[in-house]
């Protein structure tokens, strides 16, 4: 309930916050037992809400009671250890607490002057990640490049497309520019190309393991050049959404350089695995690319939103994005020491997102994070071995990381029956997928608390449907 002059006193906040933190701790304890798929029909939750906002203040107890009454029944089990759908959307206690502190500070980090700590912490934490993930040293803020936290991988890739278009359009007609990526890349690349104004988009053929074929890229470029078009952008994926296939960065980079194209790498999910040196073989050649994205909000225990975007050279980014009206000028902004993150993204305003990443990196330490990734990958390999040992099942792609893709050898209907058995069990949840009319099941392991017992439960549903 609000007090005098409509204000909430700090002691009242303290009491409410303690009650909420207790509620959250209880929620975390019971979240594994909540339904993964909410048992609600479309519109049912809306019907539980009043049609208009309250005129009179309501007590905090009532707000809290509605968490149980309205919110929890409508939650999808992203934080359930039986969550194997899509890619994970991780969370963790230190990240959650940092989000609370971030909200308390209410910073608007568009410029150094509007939040020195939001700016400088982000610079330092993203420099740390360059070392932790084995990324090129030139991507540190002390080099020609640098990093910025964006909302999502789709945003980051869109940004790379916008910069490539801006650069290419200086010397070429915009309607002749072409963007390329593999036929297995995420839909955000095609969407980003469209929004960035590309009139020509090519989905390049993949090999047997679903990685882009560089010779098919060369052939598409040659055909486009032949018809007077200008190759301007190519995206390689390290860890495709369908099967975590990894495109060969080095040969694609050689083509991009020869053709004067911007080369972006989308490592949205798999990028977090690079904290373990044994996976870095899949990112060989990054020192040759122009931009890169990965999402700590997928697999590095950091709450959505936290997508890390790096450029090898920040000049083209600023040439594309920097517009400084008089009300955004400051003495600090004219210093070469100062980073104004508004020039690293499309919107002006930005959240203070570095705090949660900083806390996650410190609370777990690199070794703690490595052990989480390795545990998930080991669980994936264990599941893949069970599938290979089962005559009715087959893997549809190598399980290089923690995503396991398999199908029933009898075909689509039998595969669908397994999906139905898993998803109706209430204990696990998977999303089916499709390549060339062949349906398959993606088991995406990466929820913070997934352990062997959850894989055992999943396997029971699979085995029961054979
Ligand atoms: N790129 C890849 C390879 C993905 O798998 C995904 C989502 O799963 C995305 C991009 C989109 O990520 P975001 O939701 O952060 O935009």
């Amino acid at each position: 309930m609000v007090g005098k002059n409509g204000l909430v006193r700090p002691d009242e906040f303290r009491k409410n916050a303690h009650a909420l933190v207790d509620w959250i701790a209880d929620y975390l304890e019971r979240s594994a037992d909540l339904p993964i798929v909410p048992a609600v029909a479309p519109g049912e939750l809306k019907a539980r809400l009043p049609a208009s906002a309250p005129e009179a203040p309501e007590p905090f107890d009532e707000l809290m009671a509605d968490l149980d009454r309205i919110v929890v029944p409508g939650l999808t089990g992203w934080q359930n250890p039986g969550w194997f759908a899509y890619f994970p959307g991780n969370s963790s206690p230190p990240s959650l607490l940092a989000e609370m502190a971030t909200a308390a500070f209410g910073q608007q980090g568009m410029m150094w002057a509007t939040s020195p700590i939001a700016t400088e912490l982000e610079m330092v934490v993203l420099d740390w990640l360059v070392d932790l993930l084995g990324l090129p040293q030139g991507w540190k803020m002390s080099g020609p490049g640098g990093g910025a936290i964006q909302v999502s991988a789709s945003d980051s890739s869109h940004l790379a497309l916008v910069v490539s278009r801006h650069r290419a359009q200086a010397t070429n007609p915009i309607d002749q520019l072409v963007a390329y990526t593999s036929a297995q890349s995420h839909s955000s690349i095609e969407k980003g190309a469209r929004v960035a104004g590309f009139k020509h988009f090519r989905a390049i053929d993949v090999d047997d393991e679903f990685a882009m074929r560089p010779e098919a890229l060369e052939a598409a470029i040659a055909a486009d050049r032949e018809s007077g078009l200008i190759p301007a952008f190519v995206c390689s994926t390290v860890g495709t959404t369908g099967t975590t296939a990894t495109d060969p960065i080095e040969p694609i980079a050689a083509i991009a350089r020869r053709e004067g194209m911007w080369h972006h790498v989308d490592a949205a999910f798999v990028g977090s695995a690079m904290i373990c040196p044994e996976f870095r073989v899949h990112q060989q050649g990054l020192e040759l690319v122009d931009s890169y994205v990965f999402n700590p909000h997928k697999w590095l225990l950091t709450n959505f939103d936290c997508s890390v975007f790096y450029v090898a050279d920040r000049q083209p980014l600023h040439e594309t994005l920097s517009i400084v009206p008089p009300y955004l000028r400051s003495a600090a902004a004219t210093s070469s020491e100062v980073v104004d993150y508004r020039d690293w993204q499309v919107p002006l305003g930005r959240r203070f997102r570095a705090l949660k990443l900083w806390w996650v990196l410190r609370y777990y330490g690199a070794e703690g994070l490595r052990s989480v990734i390795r545990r998930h990958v080991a669980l994936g390999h264990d599941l893949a071995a069970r599938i290979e040992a089962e005559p009715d099942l087959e893997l549809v792609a190598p399980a290089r990381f923690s995503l396991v893709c398999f199908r029933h050898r009898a075909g689509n209907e039998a595969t669908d029956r397994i999906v139905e058995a898993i998803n109706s069990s209430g204990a696990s949840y998977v999303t089916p997928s499709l390549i060339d009319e062949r349906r398959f099941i993606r088991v995406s392991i990466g929820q913070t608390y997934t352990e062997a017992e959850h894989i055992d439960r999943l396997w029971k549903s699979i085995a029961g449907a054979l």
Side-chain angles (χ1 to χ4, degrees), residues 78 86-88 150-157 184-189 235-242 244-245 266-270 293-295 297-298 304-307 442:
W78 286 86
Y86 308 102
F87 277 137
Q150 311 282 340
V151 174
S152 76
S154 312
D155 270 334
S156 300
S157 296
Q184 284 295 311
S185 75
H186 190 261
S187 58
S188 57
I189 308 303
C235 172
S236 304
T237 309
V238 174
T240 58
T241 314
T244 53
D266 175 2
F269 171 63
V270 153
V293 61
F294 90 102
N295 283 349
H297 70 224
K298 280 187 164 46
F304 188 85
D305 51 345
C306 188
S307 176
R442 290 171 76 261

Side-chain angles (χ1 to χ4, degrees), residues 295-355:
N295 283 349
H297 70 224
K298 280 187 164 46
W299 202 11
L300 211 59
L301 311 197
T302 309
N303 282 62
F304 188 85
D305 51 345
C306 188
S307 176
V308 172
F309 177 67
Y310 288 104
V311 281
D313 178 1
R314 51 187 186 259
Q315 201 56 35
L317 188 74
H318 298 332
E319 279 164 16
T320 309
L321 299 173
S322 184
I323 295 173
V324 189
Y327 52 86
L328 291 179
R329 289 190 191 139
S330 70
T334 54
S335 143
S336 60
E337 285 294 293
V338 161
V339 164
D340 283 336
Y341 270 122
R342 63 167 180 214
D343 295 336
W344 294 70
Q345 59 177 27
V346 175
L348 172 63
R350 70 196 318 265
R351 284 188 352 102
F352 181 9
R353 301 190 194 89
L355 187 74

